[in-house]
Amino acid sequence: MAWIEVAKQGDVPEGGTFPVRVNGEPICLYNLGGHFYATHDTCSHGQASLADGFMLDEGLIECPLHQGTFDVKTGKAVGAPCKIDIKVFAVKVDGGAVFVEV
């Protein structure tokens, strides 16, 4: 496992998403009150980009395709029709840069 710089803090809007690719793998970054999280960017139900989805107040990302939801902290599928969890990545911020562990 290695830490890879994927963005600057300012790239990820407060309460929003930012898509990146690491070694060809699509990853979605989230900024919740200055705390950063990362999940696989593809919905496990409909193959849509979660970065195109909608952040909900509870720290959930809503898929733009069928409105299923995932917890961005754990990757757990919490809203139908999504049933399969998504992968999460460890995130750290150092010197204004956002890193994910892959």
Side-chain angles (χ1 to χ4, degrees), residues 22-38:
V22 177
N23 300 327
E25 184 167 17
I27 296 174
C28 185
L29 301 176
Y30 309 90
N31 178 352
L32 302 177
H35 297 279
F36 292 82
Y37 302 92

Side-chain angles (χ1 to χ4, degrees), residues 15-19 28 30 41 43 48-56 60-68:
T17 64
F18 187 74
C28 185
Y30 309 90
D41 186 39
C43 176
S49 170
L50 295 175
D52 293 334
F54 306 96
M55 287 299 304
L56 304 177
L60 304 179
I61 184 70
E62 181 181 81
C63 176
L65 191 58
H66 296 116
Q67 291 72 51

